[in-house]
Amino acid sequence: MKPVTRDRISPAPTSRTALAGLATVLLLLVAGCGIVAPRSMDRQGADSFEDDISTARTLTEQFWTQHFQQLGQTYRPIADFIPYSGTSGPSCGQEQSVANNAFYCPIGHFIAYDQDWMESLWSEMGDGSVYVIIPHEFGHAVQAQLQASFRLNVQMELQADCYAGGTLSALVGSGALTAEPGDEDELLLSLEAAGDPTDNWLDPAAHGTAEQRQSSFATGYRDGVDAC
Ligand SMILES: [Zn+2]
């Protein structure tokens, strides 16, 4: 896999959060071992990991709140947002949480994430990792509200990827985050350059192939969540 040219998304003036490495971030959707990614380039003392996590949640829920209003519906915020370490996370019904994962639980309407895993991605791949994974999980929270039955399968995962792309582009479009010219092109190029999924979060049997995930994310990014 070739290294991805680092692009940058900068915070809007009113935001203290910088989202960097959108292109690299997207590799998270599809990447396996052996990624060589430059470190985030906007770390000059700006945001902590906790800042990025919190802002990703806030902006994503702001987006969906507004979007539901446009649909004449009311978005229901998640009930809880739970960091955990390793296997100490909350269970979801009969399902125990696992290390190196983030998930939405429809029972209780909460999102939980392995904070050690997330922070290692944030450190190694840039803060944008948070801005893909968190909106993906919120995509499931949205599915649970818009669909009669909630059962995870590949189609649901791909739709969550699409929602994540649509959320991110909407935040850029609204000025909540700002992107430099060419970001979208780099995004799509980097999607094409992505490698093989190997770990759980990236399991193609569960989430779709790399190509499917790239395509879904790109559809959302280009055309918005209504295209998902
Ligand atoms: Zn998912």
Side-chain angles (χ1 to χ4, degrees), residues 136-137 140 157 207:
H136 172 99
E137 299 308 332
H140 290 314
E157 294 299 343
H207 283 89

XYZ file of all heavy atoms in Angstrom, residues 136-137 140 157 207, ligand 1:
49
model
N -19.914 6.683 11.889
C -20.390 5.361 11.478
C -21.302 4.777 12.556
O -22.389 4.264 12.255
C -19.203 4.427 11.210
C -19.579 2.992 10.960
N -19.679 2.460 9.681
C -19.901 1.991 11.811
C -20.044 1.180 9.779
N -20.184 0.869 11.061
N -20.874 4.850 13.798
C -21.699 4.293 14.876
C -22.998 5.071 15.033
O -24.057 4.492 15.279
C -20.914 4.260 16.190
C -19.651 3.402 16.156
C -19.884 1.986 15.640
O -21.002 1.459 15.788
O -18.952 1.415 15.054
N -25.628 3.862 12.788
C -26.458 2.762 13.296
C -27.560 3.279 14.220
O -28.687 2.780 14.209
C -25.585 1.751 14.051
C -24.666 0.965 13.163
N -25.078 0.381 11.985
C -23.346 0.655 13.296
C -24.051 -0.258 11.428
N -22.986 -0.093 12.194
N -24.188 -2.165 7.463
C -22.847 -1.622 7.673
C -22.463 -0.662 6.552
O -21.897 0.401 6.789
C -21.819 -2.751 7.777
C -21.995 -3.636 9.009
C -21.862 -2.869 10.312
O -21.324 -1.758 10.302
O -22.313 -3.389 11.346
N -18.764 -6.356 7.358
C -18.904 -4.956 6.953
C -18.895 -4.736 5.452
O -19.116 -3.625 5.004
C -17.773 -4.121 7.565
C -17.964 -3.801 9.011
N -17.521 -4.627 10.013
C -18.565 -2.763 9.639
C -17.835 -4.092 11.193
N -18.466 -2.977 10.984
Zn -21.065 -0.808 11.999
